Amino acid sequence: MALAIAVPGACGPTVPVTPAPSPSPTTSVTSPSPSAVGPTATASGGPIGTATWTAVQPSGGPPAARDGHSWSVDPSSAVAYLFAGRGAAGDLDDLWAYDMTADAWQRLEPAGPRPPPRHDHAAAWIDGLGLVIAGGRSSSGVLADLWAYDPSADGWRTLGTSGPAPAGRSGACGALGGDGSWWLYGGAGADGAALAELWRYDPGGSAWTEAAVDAGPLGRVDAACWWASAGRFVVYGGRPRSDGATQADGTIWSLDPTSFGGAQVWSSVTGPPGADRARAAGTSNGDVGVLVGGLGPDGAPRSDLTVVGAEGATLLGPGTTGPTARSGGALVADPEGERLLLFGGLGPAGPTNDVWGLTLPS
């Protein structure tokens, strides 16, 4: 079966991706026919190629099965750093390095203080600081801390900040801007209700700034966000509460970053039917955002793909032997390997620790 992707709303060239040779089993899946995805936007271009899942069998490890973890790539070394999450026995605080060139795991054991166990935290690789994590939820409640792991020193340290800072939260989504600042949206506070807050972290001054959101996405938790190559901050999906009592959303919101600190210039497009998602694994790939799985509007995990462009989204059906249905997994881009990598997540049978490679058409 072939996965025919109609990439919606492309704003420029995407990262070319072709399947890498592998002895591992592969699967391809078929998309539905492209259809209107909003009041003015349609999936454009028609079928342009196939996408293929490949089961990856890394050496070393593997990390314990989990969901709600983070996986952040240092592009200078092609290493993805996996941190924490929620395992079968509770929250974790372990740190792993995944060599994307060799497909190999290595557990890291830095000396000294370390972040407490958590899940559903935000994380990013920030040049000059290393792996930076913020917030999340532990057995004691939501967290408001900020930590950095420096691989050259093999150690964690807390990051002090000046001025106001985000209150404790879990399930916020974050993405690194082209200027090196880190943007966080939403999340659930101590009462479980979703927040409608947009914060920007300046690593140079180690300071947070909150944007006054006059109009835009409602409060949401477990959304996905990324930067589109056109220079807009995109927020997709999520739900109004963290306790599963409310349904996932499928609205695509994007923000003109030049409006930060003034009147917010948000625009929105309604996603395709059936693509409402929360706790999906997502990342950017060239001009598009790619999401895997997540919880659908009925609260059940999914195994399909959603490709999101500037004007809308295309929902792509699941394959027969690809990743099982899951939520709370982590997806990263591997440009050198011309693929995306998926790790872990929570399915009907419990958390997983499998690795899958996804190649998209050029």
Side-chain angles (χ1 to χ4, degrees), residues 161-165 199 206-208:
T161 58
S162 59
W199 289 83
S206 195
W208 289 100

Side-chain angles (χ1 to χ4, degrees), residues 1 15 18 30 36 52 55 77 85 97 117 121-122 154 173 201 241 270 297 307 310 335:
M1 298 175 65
V15 176
T18 54
T30 303
T52 303
S77 65
H121 52 283
D154 191 25
C173 69
Y201 176 70
R241 289 192 62 87
T270 302
V307 179

Side-chain angles (χ1 to χ4, degrees), residues 311-345:
E311 297 180 351
T314 300
L315 179 65
L316 309 169
T320 56
T321 58
T324 55
R326 66 192 65 198
S327 68
L331 187 70
V332 297
D334 175 16
E336 293 298 321
E338 298 183 329
R339 60 184 178 172
L340 303 177
L341 289 169
L342 173 71
F343 174 79

Side-chain angles (χ1 to χ4, degrees), residues 10-41:
C11 306
T14 58
V15 176
V17 182
T18 54
S22 172
S24 305
T26 62
T27 182
S28 299
V29 296
T30 303
S31 76
S33 300
S35 60
V37 296
T40 60

Side-chain angles (χ1 to χ4, degrees), residues 294-310:
L295 301 174
D298 58 357
R302 299 290 196 270
S303 60
D304 46 18
L305 305 177
T306 307
V307 179
V308 184

